[in-house]
Amino acid sequence: MSRQVSWLRSYFLMLQWQALRLRPVLPLFMLVEAFTGVGTVVGVGYVLPRIDPTTAMFLSTGGPTLTLIALGLTIVPQMVADSKARGAFDYVWSLPVPRMAFLAADFTIWLLAVLPGVLMALFVGARRYDFALQISPLALPAFVLVALMSTGLGYAVAHAAPKPELVTLLTNFIIFALFLFSPINFPVERLPRWLGELHRFLPVKYAATAVRGTLVQGYSDGLGLSFAALAVWCVLGLGTTYVLVTRRN
């Protein structure tokens, strides 16, 4: 019990410390994330000849999904790589707190900062495309699971990369692939067959289905499989991160 209390106390202390440390950049981060979600919802609609109900559904739910995934797979790894380059983690690891408590606090800060942008993208998409959302009680768990999955993988990439430049290159490639070659804003059937099959083993398709299935009435096929797949990817990402950060001196 004492170890649990110590871990929770460390978590809340790190939560306050991270909030104070990131206070100068959090407002800008929230603005950028809101623009990403809303910009995706609105901007992609400009290149389509017409918006039918299916397209409206994908655009209205795809922007928020993309915002959550981009948080963990692009922004967080870049922030971690920058902190590593400046030696910030050497200081953090020297503190008498569990390292995973620090990462849990870090994730909490980023999740709370990104949620306003996600909700704004949902509201704008529903209004712009006259699409009625049916929000399930599972929507918030789905958002958290998608963010945790992507952030866990992002932490693993950032801590495994030997140089910050590699993280920058990889995250730039990821965001490009997410926008153009991932079934977030369109059905997976539109992709080449080989790429659609590849997405059966990647987490992005399941993230989009989990979010969409908790926001759209009647779109619940595969919801259980999506939650299970995301849970597996969470364990993989967080487990790899745990090994990497606990093996460091």
Side-chain angles (χ1 to χ4, degrees), residues 9 18 70 107 114 223 236:
R9 183 172 183 274
Q18 278 292 78
F107 168 75
V114 80
L223 188 59
L236 178 62

Side-chain angles (χ1 to χ4, degrees), residues 54-150:
T54 299
T55 302
M57 175 186 69
F58 274 88
L59 291 180
S60 299
T61 58
T65 305
L66 186 62
T67 302
L68 288 168
I69 297 176
L71 163 71
L73 290 181
T74 60
I75 295 176
V76 168
Q78 291 175 2
M79 297 289 288
V80 171
D82 178 67
S83 295
K84 286 176 60 181
R86 291 186 291 105
F89 276 98
D90 293 333
Y91 170 74
V92 172
W93 296 158
S94 69
L95 298 175
V97 297
R99 296 181 179 183
M100 292 304 290
F102 167 78
L103 294 182
D106 192 50
F107 168 75
T108 303
I109 293 293
W110 293 122
L111 178 63
L112 293 176
V114 80
L115 281 180
V118 171
L119 297 177
M120 187 179 298
L122 282 175
F123 175 77
V124 171
R127 290 294 299 271
R128 178 171 178 80
Y129 300 115
D130 193 24
F131 184 78
L133 297 171
Q134 300 289 332
I135 300 177
S136 163
L138 292 175
L140 182 58
F143 291 169
V144 174
L145 190 59
V146 171
L148 186 61
M149 175 276 298
S150 60

Side-chain angles (χ1 to χ4, degrees), residues 118-189:
V118 171
L119 297 177
M120 187 179 298
L122 282 175
F123 175 77
V124 171
R127 290 294 299 271
R128 178 171 178 80
Y129 300 115
D130 193 24
F131 184 78
L133 297 171
Q134 300 289 332
I135 300 177
S136 163
L138 292 175
L140 182 58
F143 291 169
V144 174
L145 190 59
V146 171
L148 186 61
M149 175 276 298
S150 60
T151 304
L153 293 175
Y155 282 142
V157 168
H159 284 288
K163 295 184 178 181
E165 294 82 2
L166 293 178
V167 177
T168 301
L169 289 173
L170 184 57
T171 52
N172 285 339
F173 169 77
I174 289 174
I175 197 64
F176 172 77
L178 286 175
F179 268 103
L180 298 180
F181 300 106
S182 297
I184 298 175
N185 291 311
F186 53 83
V188 69
E189 291 78 17

Side-chain angles (χ1 to χ4, degrees), residues 8 29 32 40 47 57 88 101 106 133 135 168 176 181 206 221 248:
L8 287 175
F29 171 81
V32 169
T40 300
V47 302
M57 175 186 69
D106 192 50
L133 297 171
I135 300 177
T168 301
F176 172 77
F181 300 106
Y206 301 107
D221 291 344
R248 293 178 180 273

